Amino acid sequence: MSEIIFEIDGKEVKAKAGMTILEAARSVGIKIPTLCHHEALEPFGSCRLCTVEVDVRSWTSLVASCVYPVAQNIVVRTRSAKVDRIRKMILELYLAHAPDSFELQDMAQEYGADKNRFEKEASFCIHCGLCVRYCNEVKQKNAVGFVDRGSRKEICFIPEIAAQECWDCKECFPLCPTEALQAAFVLSQALYTPQK
Amino acid sequence: MDNARIDKIIEKHHGEASSLIQVLLDIQSEHHWLPKAALKRVSEKLRVPLTQIQHIATFYKAFSLVPKGRHEVHVCVGTACHVRGASRILDTLQELTGIKPGETDLELKFSLETVNCLGCCALGPVLEIDGKTHGKMTTAETADVLKNYQ
Ligand code: SF4
Ligand code: FES
């Protein structure tokens, strides 16, 4: 069993090979903000809020801690002027899409993000993929997925599957940081009348 | 498109989930679009969730989830063709077919699409119908070429 020793915020941390920086940090009680991370799901690395600074052989880079594996002797900083600035920017961009999300607003307060910095484009979904991945990996029902790409990307229910599976599940609803998911579900429901 | 034909295509690709895009491309080129029933069949046969197929089918511009015409007309509006008068060709096509780029006429005869470079700028303005390239087009020639497609 190879043990990896490295540093997070000046603290020596021991971790097992294959762990991510995020897991190692959480195991010793160091907090890193996340949006798209979920313990039961494979790391996705889409929200970038978990960005940290890492020194590898005195070369500094910015990485997503939820997907970056720990390595011997690296030095991690979970807060720095640069990291904070990046998180603030990411939050401001998300808030342009989902200005009323409580989860985003709480974080915005911590990082001093201004929800009015960018023009609103209320699409609500911030593409964290929690609903899609939960339905796929945990429930294995695949009732909801992504469609299209780039700025037009959005989530979409498969009505036939949703009509059968979602009523008694709805486990993805509380996962969504913006409630876009519920809106999409209600909309699909309204549009779809099952064929008798 | 019937299931037997779809199954044939899937068989050709050994029913492997990793061939999903190839299967969809084959259906697209034969049928000109991807009906929902076909996607369902592919999903069952390759054991790939419909959500994933839907994601891929909407991701690539090569796929269409709505019916396309029998003949696909691509007009190049890239820089070289633009300079050589592509907009006149496009206008002529719109007038003759009655459709705008991205549309298909009611008889499902033509689908019109603009593209940004077909890779043969010296032939500009270029028009491609069903994969056949027509170079150095004029408005009169465009009208003549279109007549050959039923
Ligand atoms: S609907 Fe919500 S949970 Fe699903 S991807 Fe969008 S933001 Fe994430
Ligand atoms: S939690 Fe790491 S990218 Fe979202």
Side-chain angles (χ1 to χ4, degrees), chain A:
Chain A
M1 189 85 260
S2 54
E3 191 168 70
I4 287 172
I5 301 173
F6 68 109
E7 190 187 305
I8 305 181
D9 293 345
K11 231 197 218 173
E12 192 183 283
V13 176
K14 291 192 185 105
K16 285 198 226 76
M19 271 171 109
T20 61
I21 292 180
L22 179 69
E23 284 168 333
R26 289 201 169 160
S27 73
V28 294
I30 295 173
K31 281 208 191 100
I32 299 176
T34 61
L35 264 182
C36 70
H37 181 264
H38 187 288
E39 244 120 68
L41 304 175
E42 290 292 316
F44 196 48
S46 76
C47 76
R48 299 279 142 177
L49 265 182
C50 65
T51 298
V52 294
E53 254 180 10
V54 178
D55 299 343
V56 185
R57 280 184 248 115
S58 68
W59 176 267
T60 307
S61 49
L62 291 155
V63 303
S65 60
C66 69
V67 287
Y68 196 92
V70 293
Q72 211 65 256
N73 297 326
I74 57 171
V75 177
V76 178
R77 281 178 300 279
T78 66
R79 294 289 292 252
S80 74
K82 202 166 182 181
V83 166
D84 282 12
R85 205 171 62 235
I86 288 171
R87 289 190 190 144
K88 174 170 174 273
M89 170 67 107
I90 294 173
L91 286 167
E92 284 168 340
L93 288 166
Y94 282 153
L95 281 163
H97 288 285
D100 297 324
S101 153
F102 298 121
E103 213 174 321
L104 289 177
Q105 280 176 5
D106 289 349
M107 284 198 233
Q109 212 158 45
E110 167 139 18
Y111 289 93
D114 171 10
K115 74 172 188 176
N116 296 315
R117 172 155 176 210
F118 296 108
E119 201 180 319
K120 297 277 183 317
E121 202 199 302
S123 59
F124 305 106
C125 177
I126 55 164
H127 303 159
C128 71
L130 283 173
C131 55
V132 173
R133 290 179 292 140
Y134 190 85
C135 199
N136 170 264
E137 293 174 32
V138 178
K139 305 298 287 190
Q140 298 182 357
K141 298 295 184 207
N142 298 295
V144 61
F146 282 119
V147 292
D148 225 316
R149 71 187 129 125
S151 60
R152 285 195 309 273
K153 185 174 176 181
E154 56 184 14
I155 57 153
C156 178
F157 282 89
I158 307 265
E160 293 86 344
I161 302 177
Q164 281 182 25
E165 307 291 348
C166 296
W167 275 116
D168 301 323
C169 172
K170 294 184 180 169
E171 284 167 33
C172 57
F173 281 19
L175 299 179
C176 179
T178 72
E179 287 165 32
L181 173 65
Q182 292 190 42
F185 180 75
V186 174
L187 185 68
S188 317
Q189 199 187 328
L191 290 175
Y192 183 71
T193 334
Q195 287 140 349
K196 292 264 157 68

Side-chain angles (χ1 to χ4, degrees), chain B residues 63-101:
Chain B
F63 300 124
S64 171
L65 295 179
V66 290
K68 284 271 171 170
R70 292 189 294 285
H71 306 295
E72 292 187 48
V73 184
H74 293 162
V75 205
C76 182
V77 291
T79 315
C81 287
H82 175 79
V83 172
R84 288 163 179 246
S87 49
R88 279 201 301 279
I89 306 297
L90 183 58
D91 285 347
T92 312
L93 283 167
Q94 295 195 37
E95 212 161 285
L96 291 172
T97 58
I99 50 173
K100 292 201 200 70

Side-chain angles (χ1 to χ4, degrees), chain A residues 136 142-149 156 158-160, chain B residues 36 40 49-52 54-56 58-61:
Chain A
N136 170 264
N142 298 295
V144 61
F146 282 119
V147 292
D148 225 316
R149 71 187 129 125
C156 178
I158 307 265
E160 293 86 344
Chain B
K36 187 164 180 178
K40 268 196 177 148
L50 200 54
T51 45
Q52 253 174 53
Q54 195 177 255
H55 194 184
I56 288 170
T58 51
F59 189 94
Y60 295 104
K61 230 184 144 185

